[in-house]
């Protein structure tokens, strides 16, 4: 029974990812979740009390996986500059990933304080990693520079999602900006 509930919960989260990546937060409704999973709408309420609860769970499940991929890429890089490049490139490489698209949709949507806090905490972990690299490079305000660097990544993500420029060109420009800005 518990295994069945875990499978149902996983199916609901997977459906939520698809809905979010296809249509943003407006697409994430309990009727749509029920339709995608073949569950009765009342069954969806047995798993999640609200849309915000679905969003919180997605953040709790997907953000750490996504952050771990970025961290892993940084850990494999040998120099501080290579770590910064890995930070930028790995996040941009994840743009096409459904988990990432769902997280972006969530971030752009109306969230309750709990969900926003989970996103901030996960992003904070990534920014802290970047701060350590910036300290190693001798930056006096590593957290501030790390937050600004994340702003470059966020802008690059938006450019890639617009689909106007080729993603490789956007990534190259973002890496040049990041490394140029870090070197100051």
């Amino acid at each position: 029974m518990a295994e069945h509930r875990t499978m149902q919960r996983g199916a609901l989260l997977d459906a939520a990812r698809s809905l979010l990546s296809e249509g943003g937060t407006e697409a994430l409704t309990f009727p749509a979740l029920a339709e995608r999973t073949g569950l009765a709408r009342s069954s969806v309420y047995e798993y999640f009390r609200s849309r915000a609860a679905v969003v919180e769970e997605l953040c709790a499940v997907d953000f750490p996986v996504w952050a771990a991929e970025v961290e892993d890429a940084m850990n494999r890089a040998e120099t501080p500059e290579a770590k910064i490049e890995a930070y930028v490139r790995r996040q941009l490489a994840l743009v096409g990933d459904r988990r990432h698209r769902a997280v972006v949709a969530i971030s752009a949507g109306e969230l309750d304080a709990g969900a926003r806090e989970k996103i901030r905490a996960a992003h904070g972990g990534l920014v802290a990693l970047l701060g350590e690299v910036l300290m190693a490079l001798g930056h006096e305000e590593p957290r501030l520079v790390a937050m600004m660097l994340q702003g470059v990544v966020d802008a690059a993500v938006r450019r890639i999602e617009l689909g106007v420029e080729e993603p490789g060109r956007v990534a190259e420009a973002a890496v040049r900006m990041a490394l140029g800005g870090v070197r100051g």
Side-chain angles (χ1 to χ4, degrees):
M1 185 68 185
E3 189 176 316
H4 180 69
R5 284 192 64 78
T6 302
M7 280 175 48
Q8 298 269 23
R9 189 177 208 86
L12 285 165
L13 289 175
D14 205 46
R17 282 181 199 98
S18 293
L19 289 165
L20 284 164
S21 69
E22 291 162 17
T25 50
E26 304 77 46
L28 180 60
T29 65
F30 278 32
L33 282 171
E35 186 181 323
R36 286 280 170 108
T37 57
L39 292 171
R41 196 183 319 180
S42 59
S43 296
V44 176
Y45 282 99
E46 289 176 31
Y47 292 90
F48 299 104
R49 68 191 178 289
S50 64
R51 273 177 15 142
V54 177
V55 166
E56 277 191 52
E57 180 113 0
L58 273 178
C59 291
V61 170
D62 288 353
F63 239 105
V65 173
W66 179 54
E69 290 180 29
V70 175
E71 184 175 358
D72 186 51
M74 289 177 75
N75 288 338
R76 285 195 312 271
E78 303 211 353
T79 66
E81 288 86 356
K83 288 179 186 301
I84 289 166
E85 182 171 348
Y87 178 87
V88 173
R89 285 192 190 281
R90 192 66 203 127
Q91 284 191 69
L92 297 182
L94 289 166
V95 171
D97 184 290
R98 227 164 34 108
R99 287 169 311 170
H100 183 268
R101 282 203 309 269
V103 163
V104 169
I106 289 167
S107 301
E110 292 302 306
L111 294 176
D112 70 4
R116 264 199 308 276
E117 191 46 50
K118 280 191 171 67
I119 288 177
R120 257 197 304 275
H123 256 294
L126 281 179
V127 171
L129 279 175
L130 197 51
E132 290 172 24
V133 174
L134 293 166
M135 276 199 312
L137 285 171
H139 277 272
E140 290 178 18
E141 296 194 64
R143 178 138 180 90
L144 174 61
V145 174
M147 295 300 283
M148 294 173 95
L149 195 52
Q150 183 59 47
V152 169
V153 172
D154 294 343
V157 165
R158 284 191 294 280
R159 293 306 299 173
I160 290 170
E161 286 175 342
L162 282 173
V164 178
E165 292 99 358
E166 195 268 317
R169 285 188 50 225
V170 176
E172 290 308 317
V175 167
R176 277 195 309 276
M177 281 193 75
L179 293 176
V182 163
R183 290 182 190 122

